[in-house]
Amino acid sequence: MQFVHMADTHLGYRQYGLSERENDFLNVFNHAIDEVVNERPDFIIHSGDLFEYSRPPTKALLTAQNGISRLKNEKIPMYAIAGNHDVVMKKNAIPPQILFKDFGLKIISPKNPFFIEKDVFIGGAPYSSKYTSKHLVERLQTIEKASCDFKKTILVLHQGIDRYMPYEYEIKIGEVPQGFNYCAFGHIHERIVDDFGEGKLAYPGSTEIWRSNEVEGYKKNGKGFYLVDIGGDLPEIEKIDIKLSREFLKETIQYTQLREEIARINEIIRKLKEKPVLNIIVTGGNFSRSEVYEIINQAFSNKCLSVRSKYVPDILDENLNIANMEKDALNIKRMIKEHLKDFNDEKVSDLATGLLKEMSEGDFDKAKDMTKNFYEGLNDN
């Protein structure tokens, strides 16, 4: 018996505020549905973050509807949970996936924690924040007991685990039940397959590049989904890759070779069918950042969908500078924790240092999610 494991499609995400990037996420989802139909699995599991927002834009809803309807017509059942992006972090919030129940989507939720598909137990829970993980662990224990009478069992979750996200996890690896044949996780955008308990634990990763730091992982491991065969003693997992609509280029160039490097990058871009997203770091020597910015912008703005640049003026001191920045960051975190010690609450300190990290990196959406999760945890206590 085979099934598809997919996650983190983030439909509706308008990366960098660009409609072209929104369309890229929609297109790759359509390609994924094409591949699923070609593979003819017995069913498909989506492990959360089907959408980027709890109130998705119309194009995202229509794309999801068309894909789910097509799977229903092809008699391929689809099971899904809500990820942190799918739902507002408050009690009894309803994810947008509920709109597609009549189109054949089966939603794993606290109300319906498991389903049986051809003698396979499929159980799980929607995303829980770090501050409500106690309730999640209790729920998982109940689900594990319900699965005991089945030979083939699948656990579906959308969580970060301390083994893979040591600073931003929601649950610890020891809190995940080990009695399942396959643990179908979402939330981490890199592909991961690990031996776990009596079977395998896997993250299929996101289907598109949601952050620029995913580029290296994409070039190494691809993007797409897993085709899983659970007919044997251990699941057999095959990567199904989906070619993305456009390239993400990450280039580090020296200021002293700026003109030559611009010519080289232009030659790469010339061979591409679609305008790429270019991330470029200029390093070495002493130069005016505004002047170099103008040169780069003039060279690439009409040839790239987006150009994002960083500058490190002195390459000789680059490692020292990075080390100092990391040291300073640690000092700032230490100072924050010191000033907040009167609260006698580790959760408050974790929130403050987490917000420092995300806001310094410009990820204000994640900072807002962290704040919502924190106050949701207070309401549950």
Side-chain angles (χ1 to χ4, degrees):
M1 177 175 287
Q2 292 184 324
F3 67 92
V4 160
H5 177 201
M6 185 187 301
D8 295 284
T9 44
H10 289 277
L11 300 180
Y13 184 35
R14 182 169 286 208
Q15 192 176 36
Y16 312 131
L18 299 169
S19 60
E20 292 91 344
R21 285 300 290 151
E22 180 182 4
N23 290 333
D24 288 345
F25 277 79
L26 302 178
N27 290 336
V28 81
F29 180 80
N30 289 331
H31 293 328
I33 296 298
D34 289 341
E35 290 297 324
V36 171
V37 171
N38 288 339
E39 295 293 343
R40 305 298 309 172
D42 292 285
F43 56 92
I44 176 174
I45 289 172
H46 193 292
S47 297
D49 282 358
L50 176 63
F51 297 103
E52 172 68 14
Y53 310 107
S54 59
R55 295 181 179 178
T58 303
K59 286 169 68 175
L61 291 169
L62 288 174
T63 299
Q65 177 181 309
N66 291 338
I68 294 167
S69 296
R70 186 177 175 197
L71 292 173
K72 181 181 180 181
N73 292 337
E74 297 288 344
K75 296 181 172 51
I76 302 174
M78 183 174 183
Y79 297 87
I81 59 170
N84 56 307
H85 281 257
D86 294 313
V87 63
V88 177
M89 297 308 298
K90 63 181 182 180
K91 285 185 176 180
N92 303 318
I94 299 174
Q97 284 93 327
I98 198 75
L99 296 171
F100 308 110
K101 287 184 68 175
D102 292 339
F103 294 88
L105 182 65
K106 296 178 176 64
I107 304 170
I108 301 168
S109 66
K111 185 178 180 181
N112 296 296
F114 64 86
F115 294 88
I116 311 302
E117 176 66 42
K118 298 180 180 178
D119 294 327
V120 177
F121 179 96
I122 305 171
Y127 173 83
S128 289
S129 73
K130 185 175 183 178
Y131 306 113
T132 60
S133 60
K134 179 181 177 181
H135 302 299
L136 174 62
V137 172
E138 293 170 353
R139 195 174 297 153
L140 293 180
Q141 292 170 349
T142 302
I143 294 169
E144 186 177 28
K145 289 179 182 177
S147 71
C148 288
D149 294 332
F150 295 86
K151 291 183 178 180
K152 299 297 179 182
T153 57
I154 300 170
L155 177 66
V156 188
L157 292 174
H158 187 92
Q159 305 290 157
I161 303 175
D162 59 346
R163 176 182 291 180
Y164 314 111
M165 298 178 67
Y167 303 109
E168 300 178 77
Y169 65 90
E170 291 89 33
I171 58 174
K172 297 179 180 179
I173 190 69
E175 296 170 330
V176 181
Q178 297 190 25
F180 291 88
N181 299 109
Y182 187 86
C183 295
F185 272 72
H187 195 40
I188 295 177
H189 288 187
E190 300 293 330
R191 280 173 157 169
I192 296 171
V193 175
D194 216 344
D195 294 327
F196 183 72
E198 299 179 12
K200 298 284 186 179
L201 186 154
Y203 289 86
S206 58
T207 51
E208 245 286 0
I209 294 172
W210 188 74
R211 267 187 178 179
S212 61
N213 62 5
E214 298 171 24
V215 174
E216 278 140 21
Y218 163 63
K219 292 187 181 299
K220 182 179 180 181
N221 295 314
K223 290 281 188 185
F225 57 83
Y226 290 143
L227 181 64
V228 185
D229 190 328
I230 55 171
D233 293 335
L234 279 176
E236 296 180 6
I237 303 169
E238 178 185 354
K239 289 193 306 183
I240 305 297
D241 290 332
I242 303 170
K243 184 171 177 57
L244 304 189
S245 299
R246 70 185 74 250
E247 290 289 331
F248 268 66
L249 303 178
K250 292 188 77 171
E251 299 285 343
T252 299
I253 64 177
Q254 292 192 30
Y255 172 70
T256 54
Q257 298 177 326
L258 184 62
R259 300 294 178 181
E260 295 90 336
E261 290 291 282
I262 286 175
R264 179 183 63 82
I265 296 170
N266 268 323
E267 184 60 23
I268 295 173
I269 294 171
R270 188 181 64 81
K271 298 176 182 178
L272 302 176
K273 291 182 179 180
E274 299 289 341
K275 289 183 175 182
V277 173
L278 175 62
N279 287 270
I280 189 166
I281 299 174
V282 181
T283 185
N286 295 316
F287 54 83
S288 164
R289 297 187 182 200
S290 59
E291 181 181 328
V292 174
Y293 170 83
E294 288 298 328
I295 294 171
I296 290 174
N297 191 56
Q298 187 174 14
F300 298 119
S301 61
N302 293 328
K303 301 172 185 177
C304 297
L305 183 66
S306 175
V307 181
R308 305 173 70 79
S309 53
K310 294 181 180 179
Y311 308 97
V312 183
D314 193 346
I315 192 171
L316 294 176
D317 293 334
E318 182 180 2
N319 293 331
L320 179 61
N321 289 340
I322 291 172
N324 285 339
M325 286 190 292
E326 290 176 348
K327 183 178 179 182
D328 289 344
L330 290 173
N331 287 338
I332 293 171
K333 289 182 180 180
R334 195 180 300 118
M335 289 169 59
I336 290 174
K337 288 180 179 287
E338 180 66 22
H339 281 290
L340 295 177
K341 69 180 181 180
D342 290 341
F343 282 92
N344 195 28
D345 191 334
E346 185 180 351
K347 294 178 181 178
V348 173
S349 296
D350 287 346
L351 175 66
T353 55
L355 290 175
L356 169 68
K357 176 181 180 297
E358 299 306 332
M359 296 183 74
S360 65
E361 293 178 359
D363 196 340
F364 297 103
D365 288 337
K366 189 163 185 179
K368 286 192 287 187
D369 284 342
M370 289 179 65
T371 306
K372 288 179 182 178
N373 293 347
F374 176 78
Y375 284 106
E376 172 68 12
L378 292 180
N379 293 333
D380 282 347
N381 291 331

CSV table of all heavy atoms in Angstrom, one decimal, residues 255 285-295 311 313:
chain,number,residue,atom,x,y,z
A,255,TYR,N,34.3,42.7,-4.1
A,255,TYR,CA,34.2,44.0,-4.6
A,255,TYR,C,35.2,44.3,-5.7
A,255,TYR,O,35.0,44.9,-6.7
A,255,TYR,CB,34.3,45.0,-3.5
A,255,TYR,CG,34.3,46.5,-4.0
A,255,TYR,CD1,33.2,47.1,-4.6
A,255,TYR,CD2,35.5,47.2,-3.9
A,255,TYR,CE1,33.3,48.4,-5.1
A,255,TYR,CE2,35.6,48.5,-4.4
A,255,TYR,CZ,34.5,49.1,-5.0
A,255,TYR,OH,34.5,50.4,-5.4
A,285,GLY,N,37.4,44.7,0.6
A,285,GLY,CA,37.7,46.1,0.3
A,285,GLY,C,36.8,47.1,1.0
A,285,GLY,O,35.9,46.8,1.7
A,286,ASN,N,37.1,48.4,0.7
A,286,ASN,CA,36.4,49.5,1.3
A,286,ASN,C,35.6,50.1,0.2
A,286,ASN,O,36.2,50.5,-0.9
A,286,ASN,CB,37.3,50.5,1.9
A,286,ASN,CG,38.0,49.9,3.1
A,286,ASN,OD1,37.4,49.2,3.9
A,286,ASN,ND2,39.3,50.1,3.2
A,287,PHE,N,34.3,50.2,0.3
A,287,PHE,CA,33.5,50.8,-0.7
A,287,PHE,C,32.2,51.4,-0.1
A,287,PHE,O,31.8,51.2,1.0
A,287,PHE,CB,33.1,49.7,-1.7
A,287,PHE,CG,32.4,48.5,-1.1
A,287,PHE,CD1,31.0,48.5,-0.8
A,287,PHE,CD2,33.1,47.3,-0.8
A,287,PHE,CE1,30.4,47.4,-0.3
A,287,PHE,CE2,32.5,46.2,-0.3
A,287,PHE,CZ,31.1,46.3,0.0
A,288,SER,N,31.6,52.2,-1.0
A,288,SER,CA,30.3,52.9,-0.6
A,288,SER,C,29.2,51.9,-0.9
A,288,SER,O,29.0,51.5,-2.0
A,288,SER,CB,30.1,54.2,-1.4
A,288,SER,OG,28.8,54.6,-1.3
A,289,ARG,N,28.4,51.6,0.2
A,289,ARG,CA,27.3,50.6,0.0
A,289,ARG,C,26.3,51.2,-1.0
A,289,ARG,O,25.8,50.4,-1.8
A,289,ARG,CB,26.7,50.3,1.3
A,289,ARG,CG,27.6,49.6,2.3
A,289,ARG,CD,26.9,49.2,3.5
A,289,ARG,NE,27.9,48.5,4.5
A,289,ARG,CZ,27.5,47.7,5.5
A,289,ARG,NH1,26.3,47.5,5.7
A,289,ARG,NH2,28.4,47.2,6.3
A,290,SER,N,26.0,52.4,-0.9
A,290,SER,CA,25.0,53.0,-1.7
A,290,SER,C,25.4,53.0,-3.2
A,290,SER,O,24.6,52.8,-4.1
A,290,SER,CB,24.7,54.5,-1.3
A,290,SER,OG,25.8,55.3,-1.4
A,291,GLU,N,26.7,53.2,-3.4
A,291,GLU,CA,27.2,53.2,-4.8
A,291,GLU,C,27.2,51.8,-5.4
A,291,GLU,O,26.7,51.6,-6.5
A,291,GLU,CB,28.7,53.7,-4.8
A,291,GLU,CG,29.3,53.7,-6.2
A,291,GLU,CD,30.8,54.2,-6.1
A,291,GLU,OE1,31.1,55.0,-5.3
A,291,GLU,OE2,31.6,53.7,-7.0
A,292,VAL,N,27.6,50.8,-4.6
A,292,VAL,CA,27.5,49.4,-5.0
A,292,VAL,C,26.1,49.0,-5.2
A,292,VAL,O,25.8,48.3,-6.2
A,292,VAL,CB,28.3,48.5,-4.1
A,292,VAL,CG1,28.1,47.0,-4.5
A,292,VAL,CG2,29.7,48.8,-4.0
A,293,TYR,N,25.2,49.4,-4.4
A,293,TYR,CA,23.8,49.1,-4.5
A,293,TYR,C,23.2,49.6,-5.9
A,293,TYR,O,22.5,48.9,-6.6
A,293,TYR,CB,23.0,49.7,-3.4
A,293,TYR,CG,21.5,49.6,-3.6
A,293,TYR,CD1,20.8,48.5,-3.3
A,293,TYR,CD2,20.8,50.7,-4.1
A,293,TYR,CE1,19.4,48.4,-3.5
A,293,TYR,CE2,19.4,50.6,-4.3
A,293,TYR,CZ,18.7,49.5,-4.0
A,293,TYR,OH,17.4,49.4,-4.2
A,294,GLU,N,23.6,50.8,-6.2
A,294,GLU,CA,23.2,51.4,-7.5
A,294,GLU,C,23.7,50.6,-8.7
A,294,GLU,O,23.0,50.3,-9.7
A,294,GLU,CB,23.6,52.8,-7.6
A,294,GLU,CG,22.8,53.8,-6.7
A,294,GLU,CD,21.4,53.8,-7.0
A,294,GLU,OE1,21.0,53.6,-8.2
A,294,GLU,OE2,20.6,54.0,-6.1
A,295,ILE,N,24.9,50.1,-8.6
A,295,ILE,CA,25.6,49.3,-9.7
A,295,ILE,C,24.8,48.0,-9.8
A,295,ILE,O,24.5,47.6,-10.9
A,295,ILE,CB,27.1,49.1,-9.4
A,295,ILE,CG1,27.8,50.4,-9.5
A,295,ILE,CG2,27.6,48.1,-10.4
A,295,ILE,CD1,29.3,50.3,-9.0
A,311,TYR,N,26.1,43.5,2.3
A,311,TYR,CA,27.4,44.0,2.0
A,311,TYR,C,28.3,43.8,3.3
A,311,TYR,O,27.9,44.0,4.4
A,311,TYR,CB,27.4,45.5,1.7
A,311,TYR,CG,26.4,45.9,0.6
A,311,TYR,CD1,25.1,46.3,0.9
A,311,TYR,CD2,26.8,45.7,-0.7
A,311,TYR,CE1,24.2,46.6,-0.1
A,311,TYR,CE2,25.9,46.0,-1.7
A,311,TYR,CZ,24.6,46.4,-1.4
A,311,TYR,OH,23.7,46.6,-2.4
A,313,PRO,N,32.0,44.9,3.9
A,313,PRO,CA,33.1,45.7,3.3
A,313,PRO,C,34.5,45.1,3.4
A,313,PRO,O,35.3,45.3,2.5
A,313,PRO,CB,33.0,47.1,4.0
A,313,PRO,CG,31.6,47.1,4.5
A,313,PRO,CD,31.3,45.7,4.8
